[in-house]
C-alpha cells in the first residue's frame, strides 16, 4: 500500500530480550545483593569468553560489542513466540493486533486466501544483533511461512544511542547479518535461512552517530 493511501498506522513496539551486556552490567530482576556478590565473577567470565572469541579467530563475535542475546534473552524471545502462537487472546481488539503481528492480516490488494500473500504489517528492527534476533526468534512462525515481501527490515534510525560498546552495530552496511553463538545454539531455529534470505539490510547504512536524534 502506498503511503499516501494509508489512513492511519499502528506501530507496535517489542522490547528486545536481555543481552550479554545486560547480563554482566545490569541488575535486571536480580536482587541487589545477588548482583553485587556475583558481579566480579560474572565480569571475569565475560572477559574470558571475549578472550576466547579473540584467540579463536571469531572476529565477528563479541560479548561486549553489539552484544547478542543472553540465555535469558533467548528465553524471553521464545516466550514472545509462544504468546503470539496462542489460539485466542483476551479481546477482539487484541486478536486484531496479534493477527497484524503474525502476518495473518493481509495487505490491501492481495489474495487474502493465499497463505503466502503479503502481510499488512512490516517487521522492522534496529541494526543491533539482540534486536534482530528477538524479532527472528519471536516471529519465527511468521518467518517460516516465507510470505511474499515479508522481510525483517533493518533500520539504523532505530539504533540505541549510547557510548557503550554494546550499542555499536558490527553488521556491515547493507551486509549480511552474522548470527551469534547464542543464535546457533537454539534448537529448531533456522537462523541461516532467516538471516540470509529474510533480513533486508538495504537501508542499513552503518552506525547512527551518537549526536543523532534518529532523524539524520
Amino acid at each position: 500500500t502506498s503511503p499516501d493511501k494509508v489512513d492511519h498506522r499502528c506501530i507496535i513496539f517489542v522490547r528486545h530480550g536481555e543481552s550479554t551486556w545486560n547480563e554482566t552490567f545490569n541488575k535486571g530482576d536480580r536482587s541487589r545483593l545477588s548482583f553485587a556478590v556475583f558481579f566480579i565473577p560474572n565480569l571475569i567470565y565475560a572477559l574470558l569468553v571475549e578472550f576466547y572469541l579473540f584467540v579463536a579467530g571469531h572476529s565477528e563475535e563479541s560479548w561486549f560489542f553489539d552484544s547478542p542475546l543472553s540465555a535469558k534473552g533467548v528465553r524471553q524471545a521464545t516466550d514472545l513466540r509462544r504468546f503470539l502462537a496462542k489460539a485466542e487472546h483476551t479481546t477482539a481488539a487484541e486478536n486484531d493486533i496479534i493477527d497484524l503481528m503474525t502476518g495473518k492480516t493481509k495487505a490491501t490488494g492481495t489474495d487474502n486466501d493465499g497463505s503466502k500473500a503479503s502481510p499488512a504489517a512490516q517487521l522492522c528492527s534496529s541494526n543491533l544483533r539482540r534486536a534482530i534476533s528477538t524479532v527472528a526468534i519471536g516471529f519465527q512462525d511468521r518467518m517460516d511461512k516465507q510470505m511474499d515481501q515479508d522481510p525483517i527490515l533493518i533500520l539504523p534510525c532505530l539504533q540505541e544511542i549510547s557510548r557503550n560498546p554494546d550499542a555499536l552495530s558490527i553488521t556491515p552496511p547493507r551486509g549480511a547479518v552474522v548470527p551469534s553463538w547464542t543464535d546457533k545454539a537454539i534448537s529448531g531455529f533456522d537462523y541461516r535461512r532467516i538471516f540470509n534470505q529474510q533480513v533486508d539490510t538495504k537501508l542499513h547504512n552503518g552506525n547512527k552517530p551518537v549526536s543523532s536524534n534518529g532523524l539524520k
Side-chain angles (χ1 to χ4, degrees), residues 123-142:
L123 292 177
C124 300
S125 171
S126 81
N127 50 2
L128 298 175
R129 293 188 298 171
R130 55 188 175 273
I132 299 171
S133 294
T134 298
V135 176
I137 298 167
F139 293 85
Q140 183 178 347
D141 293 331
R142 173 171 170 170

Side-chain angles (χ1 to χ4, degrees), residues 149-182:
Q149 301 179 38
D150 188 34
I152 300 172
L153 185 62
I154 306 302
L155 299 175
C157 61
L158 301 177
Q159 183 179 3
E160 176 183 346
I161 298 177
S162 173
R163 298 188 184 277
N164 294 332
D166 69 314
L168 290 174
S169 173
I170 61 177
T171 299
R174 299 178 182 83
V177 176
V178 179
S180 69
W181 75 91
T182 57

Side-chain angles (χ1 to χ4, degrees), residues 6-206:
V6 175
D7 294 327
H8 65 278
R9 295 177 182 176
C10 176
I11 301 177
I12 302 168
F13 292 93
V14 176
R15 179 75 163 85
H16 68 73
E18 181 191 72
S19 69
T20 52
W21 176 278
N22 298 146
E23 180 183 348
T24 303
F25 294 106
N26 295 357
K27 183 178 78 68
D29 56 7
R30 292 171 288 187
S31 68
R32 295 193 181 199
L33 177 61
S34 175
F35 176 68
V37 168
F38 291 103
F39 176 74
I40 296 301
N42 287 339
L43 178 59
I44 293 173
Y45 174 78
L47 291 171
L48 289 174
V49 172
E50 191 77 1
F51 178 73
Y52 164 77
L53 294 172
F54 175 76
V55 298
H58 298 298
S59 60
E60 77 286 356
E61 287 285 18
S62 176
W63 185 279
F64 301 108
F65 287 89
D66 198 357
S67 53
L69 292 178
S70 65
K72 178 180 177 181
V74 170
R75 291 195 299 271
Q76 291 170 331
T78 303
D79 287 344
L80 170 62
R81 180 185 180 186
R82 293 195 185 102
F83 172 78
L84 293 175
K86 286 170 58 177
E88 291 294 331
H89 293 268
T90 306
T91 65
E94 187 177 84
N95 282 324
D96 289 342
I97 291 176
I98 297 299
D99 286 347
L100 271 174
M101 297 175 72
T102 56
K104 292 180 180 178
T105 304
K106 304 302 180 181
T108 303
T110 64
D111 181 6
N112 289 323
D113 296 326
S115 62
K116 292 184 178 294
S118 300
Q122 171 71 61
L123 292 177
C124 300
S125 171
S126 81
N127 50 2
L128 298 175
R129 293 188 298 171
R130 55 188 175 273
I132 299 171
S133 294
T134 298
V135 176
I137 298 167
F139 293 85
Q140 183 178 347
D141 293 331
R142 173 171 170 170
M143 294 288 96
D144 286 347
K145 296 175 184 177
Q146 301 185 58
M147 294 179 282
D148 293 338
Q149 301 179 38
D150 188 34
I152 300 172
L153 185 62
I154 306 302
L155 299 175
C157 61
L158 301 177
Q159 183 179 3
E160 176 183 346
I161 298 177
S162 173
R163 298 188 184 277
N164 294 332
D166 69 314
L168 290 174
S169 173
I170 61 177
T171 299
R174 299 178 182 83
V177 176
V178 179
S180 69
W181 75 91
T182 57
D183 294 320
K184 297 174 183 177
I186 304 172
S187 176
F189 177 44
D190 193 354
Y191 62 87
R192 287 191 179 89
R193 187 202 74 230
I194 294 177
F195 286 173
N196 291 334
Q197 302 176 20
Q198 296 178 275
V199 175
D200 185 350
T201 61
K202 66 184 178 184
L203 297 180
H204 170 40
N205 54 7

